[in-house]
Amino acid sequence: MKVEALIFNVIGVFCLVMATVYGVWSREPIGTTALVLSGGLTFLVGGFFWFVSRRIDARPEDRKDADIADGAGELGFFSPGSYWPFGIALSAGLMGLALAFFYTWLILLAGVALLVTIGGLLFEYYVGQNAQG
């Protein structure tokens, strides 16, 4: 995680330096604000990775003396297939349409649809036939 934290923090520094240069040269507030916010968001992700890297053991990617074989083995569980992302995409598209036309009733309907589909994705392997018993 230290490598990822370094990458994101370097990108964050770059964005803030470029925001300063862009702001001084162009005197245009929108692009400067966008660069500052981009730098802040990359610092947010880099800070999270740095925070996590301090609490877990060093991974093979973080050690200079690691061999390729050190990274072998099970990496975790990955879902073989699910229809919930399709439902989330439809719900998010419906929410975008509702916000574009600002139909309050459709915003509420799309919000409920989003909550249901996100909950379905999160709890897919805890209920029904896929439940680990």
Side-chain angles (χ1 to χ4, degrees):
M1 289 289 193
K2 292 181 185 193
V3 174
E4 292 91 345
L6 178 66
I7 290 170
F8 275 96
N9 288 331
V10 166
I11 292 171
V13 167
F14 175 78
C15 284
L16 291 182
V17 168
M18 288 299 109
T20 304
V21 170
Y22 182 79
V24 168
W25 278 355
S26 72
R27 298 178 192 204
E28 193 263 326
I30 304 300
T32 306
T33 303
L35 283 168
V36 168
L37 291 176
S38 296
L41 287 174
T42 54
F43 277 130
L44 185 72
V45 175
F48 172 75
F49 283 149
W50 174 77
F51 180 77
V52 169
S53 73
R54 293 181 59 214
R55 283 162 174 69
I56 63 172
D57 294 332
R59 300 177 307 157
E61 294 89 356
D62 296 329
R63 295 192 342 248
K64 300 265 189 222
D65 63 339
D67 292 325
I68 293 175
D70 293 338
E74 186 176 331
L75 298 176
F77 174 76
F78 299 96
S79 179
S82 174
Y83 293 110
W84 288 110
F86 182 71
I88 292 172
L90 284 178
S91 301
L94 187 64
M95 179 62 85
L97 189 66
L99 289 172
F101 292 107
F102 203 72
Y103 291 147
T104 308
W105 62 273
L106 193 56
I107 291 172
L108 294 173
L109 183 71
V112 169
L114 267 172
L115 289 176
V116 168
T117 54
I118 290 170
L121 180 67
L122 288 175
F123 298 112
E124 181 175 17
Y125 290 100
Y126 296 103
V127 296
Q129 69 181 11
N130 295 323
Q132 303 289 327

